C-alpha cells in the first residue's frame, strides 16, 4: 500500500507538487496528466528517489525518508529511457547484478536470469551486447532486470515510448501477470482501459481520481 500524507515537493526552489494526500491499494494504477503536471516527480517520491519537502510518503508502511533502503528494495522503477538503468555491457551481467548483490549463488543467478529473459520474450539474449540492442529491446531488458528482483511495487515512467505494438502488448501482458502492484505513468490513454484506478495530475495537484474511463474522460475535456 502507498500512502501520501499532505505531501508537497519543491525542486530547485520551485513547488512542483502541492498538498497530495492519497492511499493506493489497487493492483494496477495509471497516472496521467499534461507535460509538466508532476507525474514523474510523484513517481520518484514512491521509491525515495525524491523526498517530500513537506509531509510523508510510505510504501508498505515504510517511510521513504526514514527507511529509504528498505523502500528501494521493495520498489522497482522503470525509467522512460532504459539507458538510465542499464549498467553492464551484456544482458546477463546486467540482470545478474542485483541478484549477486543479494548474495545469490552464481548458478541460481544464471537460472533466474534465463527464466526472466524467457518470460519477456528475450530467450537467448544472455550474451548480447546491450549497446547493440534496439531501444525497445533495451526497454524490455531493463524491465526484466527489475522483475528478476521480484519487487512488491513496480513503478513505470512512460514505459511504452520506445516500444512497437507487439512489444507494447508484451509489456502490458507482463504487467497483468506479475504479482507486483503496478503504478504506470503514460500518455497512451487506451493502455489504461483495464486498469483498476487512474489518477490525473494538473499543476502538481491531483484533479481527478477513480475509474479509468471517467478520469480519462475528465482529462480529455481538461486538455480540449
Ligand atoms: N530538477 C528540477 N528542477 C526544477 N524543476 C523541475 C525539476 N524537475 C522537474 N521540474 C519541474 O517540475 C514540474 C513537474 O515535472 P515532472 O517531470 O514531474 O512532470 P511530468 O508530468 O512527468 O511531465 P512529462 O509528461 O513532460 O514527463 C515541471 O514544471 C518541471 O519543469
Amino acid at each position: 500500500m502507498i500512502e501520501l500524507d499532505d505531501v508537497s515537493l519543491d525542486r530547485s526552489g520551485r513547488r512542483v507538487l502541492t498538498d497530495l494526500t492519497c492511499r493506493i491499494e489497487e493492483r494496477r494504477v495509471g497516472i496521467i496528466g499534461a507535460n509538466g503536471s508532476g507525474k514523474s516527480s510523484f513517481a520518484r517520491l514512491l521509491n525515495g528517489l525524491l523526498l517530500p519537502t513537506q509531509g510523508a510518503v510510505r510504501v508498505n508502511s515504510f517511510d521513504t525518508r526514514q527507511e529509504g533502503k528498505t523502500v528501494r528494495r521493495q520498489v522497482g522503477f522503470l525509467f522512460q529511457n532504459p539507458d538510465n538503468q542499464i549498467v553492464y555491457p551484456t544482458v546477463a551481467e546486467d540482470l545478474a547484478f542485483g541478484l549477486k548483490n543479494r548474495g545469490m549463488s552464481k548458478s541460481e543467478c544464471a537460472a533466474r536470469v534465463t527464466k526472466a529473459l524467457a518470460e519477456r520474450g528475450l530467450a537467448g539474449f544472455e550474451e548480447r551486447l546491450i549497446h547493440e540492442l534496439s531501444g525497445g529491446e533495451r526497454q524490455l531488458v531493463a524491465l526484466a532486470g527489475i522483475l528478476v528482483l521480484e519487487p512488491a511495487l513496480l513503478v513505470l515512467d512512460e514505459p511504452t515510448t520506445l516500444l512497437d505494438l507487439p512489444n507494447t502488448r508484451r509489456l502490458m501482458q507482463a504487467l497483468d501477470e506479475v504479482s507486483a502492484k503496478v503504478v504506470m505513468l503514460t500518455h497512451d490513454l487506451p493502455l489504461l482501459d483495464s486498469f483498476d484506478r487512474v489518477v490525473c495530475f494538473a499543476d502538481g495537484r491531483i484533479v481527478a481520481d477513480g475509474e479509468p474511463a471517467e478520469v480519462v474522460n475528465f482529462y480529455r475535456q481538461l486538455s480540449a
Side-chain angles (χ1 to χ4, degrees):
M1 145 119 104
I2 299 165
E3 298 165 275
L4 275 77
D5 283 327
D6 220 358
V7 166
S8 294
L9 174 71
D10 293 348
R11 298 183 78 175
S12 313
R14 273 192 57 228
R15 180 130 303 188
V16 298
L17 293 173
T18 310
D19 295 339
L20 304 183
T21 295
C22 70
R23 304 269 175 280
I24 296 182
E25 288 180 280
E26 290 78 0
R27 254 185 93 222
R28 308 277 175 267
V29 177
I31 307 292
I32 61 175
N35 292 136
S37 57
K39 304 179 299 297
S40 291
S41 303
F42 169 77
R44 282 160 174 70
L45 287 173
L46 303 183
N47 71 341
L49 214 60
L50 293 173
L51 295 172
T53 309
Q54 278 171 31
V57 177
R58 286 183 296 279
V59 177
N60 291 339
S61 306
F62 296 108
D63 188 299
T64 57
R65 186 179 293 285
Q66 324 289 349
E67 289 154 301
K69 206 171 163 196
T70 310
V71 169
R72 278 189 291 281
R73 279 183 86 110
Q74 304 220 352
V75 182
F77 194 102
L78 186 71
F79 290 88
Q80 183 174 6
N81 182 349
D83 296 340
N84 284 342
Q85 59 198 102
I86 294 177
V87 181
Y88 281 89
T90 69
V91 170
E93 283 173 297
D94 202 77
L95 262 70
F97 170 68
L99 295 173
K100 279 188 189 148
N101 267 352
R102 292 186 182 182
M104 202 170 278
S105 73
K106 221 175 165 180
S107 60
E108 195 178 346
C109 270
R112 289 236 197 165
V113 165
T114 299
K115 181 167 174 276
L117 289 173
E119 283 170 353
R120 300 284 69 80
L122 299 169
F125 269 59
E126 282 87 338
E127 299 312 318
R128 298 278 299 270
L129 292 171
I130 293 198
H131 76 269
E132 289 179 2
L133 302 180
S134 75
E137 287 167 343
R138 280 205 291 273
Q139 186 61 293
L140 292 174
V141 167
L143 177 66
I146 291 167
L147 290 178
V148 78
L149 297 171
E150 300 178 344
L153 172 66
L154 183 58
V155 180
L156 306 105
D157 190 348
E158 296 179 36
T160 59
T161 339
L162 294 171
L163 302 183
D164 59 15
L165 276 178
N167 279 330
T168 297
R169 236 175 271 134
R170 237 175 243 148
L171 176 98
M172 296 311 288
Q173 193 189 336
L175 301 189
D176 231 30
E177 289 165 3
V178 294
S179 57
K181 295 203 169 171
V182 170
V183 172
M184 184 172 92
L185 283 56
T186 189
H187 291 288
D188 192 349
L189 304 176
L191 294 182
L192 302 175
D193 284 351
S194 64
F195 271 42
D196 304 306
R197 173 176 171 185
V198 173
V199 179
C200 176
F201 281 78
D203 297 327
R205 295 175 190 267
I206 294 175
V207 292
D209 184 353
E211 289 292 320
E214 279 171 34
V215 176
V216 166
N217 201 25
F218 173 91
Y219 174 53
R220 285 190 200 283
Q221 286 172 9
L222 195 69
S223 319

